[in-house]
Amino acid sequence: MSLIDISGNLLFVAFIAYLVATLLFGGSIKQANATGKNTGKWGKLAIVVTIIGFVSQLAYFITRWIYTGHAPVSNMFEFTTAFGMFIVGAFILIYFIYRLSALGLVALPVALLIIAYASMFPKEVSPLVPSLQSHWLTIHVITAALGQSILAISAVAGLIYLLKVVDLTKPSKQRFWLEAVMYCLVVVIGFVAVTSTFSAMDYESSYNYVDKEGTTRKIIYNLPPVFGMNEYEAVEEHGMSPMVEMPALINAKKLTTVFWSLLVGSVLYLLIRLIARRRISAIFQPLVKRVNLQLLDEIGYRSVLIGFPVFSLGALIFAMIWAQIAWSRFWGWDPKEVWALITWLFYAAFLHLRLSKGWEGQKSAWLALIGFGIILFNLIAVNLILAGLHSYA
């Protein structure tokens, strides 16, 4: 068995461990709610299984690094799996400080969805393009991912906070937007489902197209094409032609993936609603009824307080240094750069509103969720739809 096969097996072990740990955290919380007492036994077992998963994923990260000869963060598969790992690492650290099992019930499923999302991208090891052959790949990308993972914990705490305080029995904006967050999580599951299905079917459709530099290229769709690349011509089609041609700025293949994810995710969401006969947020609300709101608010705030400077260092300062070395300019208004700046400005505003205006509790929780939404938009939509220097997968 090769080192890359061992690496893949370790990632699978981590995924299973996180899944088991989520169930254990859920069982621990459910039993605690039923008995009125904290069940330390189940919580301890859950965190042990989480640590086993994290160590396995860390071993995956190291073995893939050894095999490739560079930090495994050079494409969407590698970066996204690393992002999921860092979220789990941040959760473990915060768990040992605050001992709050409810965090695991949300943080681990978020990490699972991110890792599952990563698994849909090509896992093959490819040579680095010249601009990525630098030690700044490791410094910039890992630091940025670490910052984002710590910021993600603030969103986890915010979601739990809102699940407890929002009244789901009465129509309100808070109820609508909280359910919208749950819908987005189901859409990610829809993405995993649809891409896994067509991958198992070995679906492929090939087209030639003209990119924004005027060069003719070939692209292979792994889902039935809804949107066509700029000036596309079919090489080999399988049952469906694109309905709309997109300009060269838009990656129509990845936009098609987003379309199918939204479609399947929406159907899945409606099925869950029909079977459960209640909102998804209402399904999870009983599990958080005993959490300490003041503690959650503190976790959310401290996560931003720590994650913001780390993100600033990795996503802006180190990125600018590397951009100057690779492209002879600090800033170029690439879509990824723009959204990194938007993310930074948002969290700067978050801290300003928290410290100067006293935005605590629900307001802070909503801001944390919006911030993580911006991070995910940067990770998913900007990488998958908009063509730019950072469209590396």
Side-chain angles (χ1 to χ4, degrees):
M1 184 180 292
S2 68
L3 194 61
I4 194 66
D5 292 330
I6 294 172
S7 177
N9 290 337
L10 287 167
L11 182 60
F12 179 73
V13 169
F15 187 89
I16 297 300
Y18 297 153
L19 183 60
V20 172
T22 301
L23 297 175
L24 289 171
F25 274 123
S28 172
I29 294 168
K30 204 166 184 179
Q31 189 171 351
N33 288 342
T35 62
K37 299 178 181 179
N38 289 324
T39 51
K41 179 178 68 174
W42 291 106
K44 287 177 182 178
L45 182 58
I47 194 63
V48 167
V49 174
T50 303
I51 292 171
I52 291 171
F54 179 74
V55 171
S56 297
Q57 193 171 1
L58 186 61
Y60 141 79
F61 190 78
I62 294 169
T63 51
R64 189 175 177 96
W65 193 330
I66 294 170
Y67 182 84
T68 61
H70 59 78
V73 289
S74 62
N75 57 40
M76 279 294 287
F77 169 74
E78 293 177 343
F79 175 82
T80 311
T81 50
F83 183 35
M85 179 180 70
F86 292 147
I87 288 176
V88 176
F91 157 68
I92 291 171
L93 178 62
I94 290 176
Y95 177 84
F96 280 108
I97 296 173
Y98 294 100
R99 303 285 178 175
L100 190 61
S101 296
L103 283 176
L105 193 62
V106 178
L108 293 181
V110 169
L112 281 168
L113 286 176
I114 289 173
I115 295 169
Y117 170 68
S119 70
M120 299 301 107
F121 293 100
K123 305 174 184 63
E124 294 78 14
V125 175
S126 303
L128 292 178
V129 298
S131 62
L132 294 181
Q133 295 173 8
S134 169
H135 62 276
W136 286 105
L137 171 69
T138 304
I139 298 171
H140 156 56
V141 181
I142 289 181
T143 308
L146 274 171
Q148 289 176 336
S149 66
I150 299 169
L151 293 171
I153 297 298
S154 70
V156 169
L159 179 58
I160 298 171
Y161 189 104
L162 293 169
L163 281 171
K164 178 168 182 177
V165 302
V166 173
D167 186 354
L168 300 178
T169 63
K170 300 176 182 177
S172 65
K173 290 181 180 179
Q174 288 85 355
R175 188 181 76 167
F176 171 82
W177 287 111
L178 183 58
E179 190 64 17
V181 171
M182 308 308 289
Y183 165 76
C184 290
L185 294 176
V186 175
V187 166
V188 178
I189 298 174
F191 165 82
V192 175
V194 71
T195 50
S196 297
T197 300
F198 281 99
S199 176
M201 294 167 58
D202 292 323
Y203 180 91
E204 286 187 357
S205 285
S206 304
Y207 296 87
N208 291 325
Y209 71 99
V210 179
D211 66 14
K212 62 181 182 179
E213 280 81 29
T215 304
T216 300
R217 297 183 182 275
K218 182 180 179 180
I219 193 167
I220 298 174
Y221 283 73
N222 302 110
L223 294 173
V226 177
F227 303 97
M229 300 293 287
N230 181 51
E231 298 182 27
Y232 71 89
E233 291 182 357
V235 177
E236 184 180 6
E237 288 185 328
H238 290 279
M240 180 174 177
S241 299
M243 299 179 183
V244 182
E245 180 179 322
M246 305 305 295
L249 179 65
I250 304 297
N251 188 319
K253 173 187 173 181
K254 294 176 179 178
L255 181 59
T256 293
T257 302
V258 173
F259 170 84
W260 282 112
S261 301
L262 286 170
L263 179 62
V264 175
S266 298
V267 171
L268 184 59
Y269 173 80
L270 290 173
L271 285 174
I272 295 172
R273 288 289 303 271
L274 286 171
I275 294 169
R277 294 188 177 182
R278 53 179 172 166
R279 298 172 183 273
I280 296 179
S281 48
I283 298 173
F284 289 95
Q285 193 172 52
L287 296 173
V288 300
K289 66 181 182 181
R290 297 181 71 244
V291 296
N292 185 318
L293 291 178
Q294 186 175 354
L295 189 61
L296 283 171
D297 189 52
E298 180 183 341
I299 291 171
Y301 169 58
R302 289 187 181 276
S303 297
V304 175
L305 208 59
I306 297 169
F308 178 68
V310 177
F311 177 79
S312 302
L313 197 63
L316 292 181
I317 297 174
F318 290 159
M320 289 178 181
I321 295 172
W322 191 12
Q324 176 63 31
I325 295 171
W327 300 313
S328 300
R329 64 11 170 221
F330 286 104
W331 192 264
W333 299 104
D334 182 73
K336 191 79 172 178
E337 294 172 313
V338 171
W339 277 96
L341 178 61
I342 290 171
T343 305
W344 185 88
L345 290 172
F346 178 86
Y347 280 104
F350 177 106
L351 291 174
H352 170 73
L353 291 169
R354 174 90 187 198
L355 296 171
S356 301
K357 305 295 183 181
W359 280 33
E360 300 179 359
Q362 280 198 56
K363 290 181 178 180
S364 183
W366 280 115
L367 287 176
L369 281 179
I370 294 170
F372 190 56
I374 294 172
I375 289 174
L376 291 182
F377 183 85
N378 196 359
L379 175 67
I380 299 171
V382 175
N383 274 336
L384 296 191
I385 299 175
L386 299 178
L389 293 170
H390 290 78
S391 298
Y392 43 71

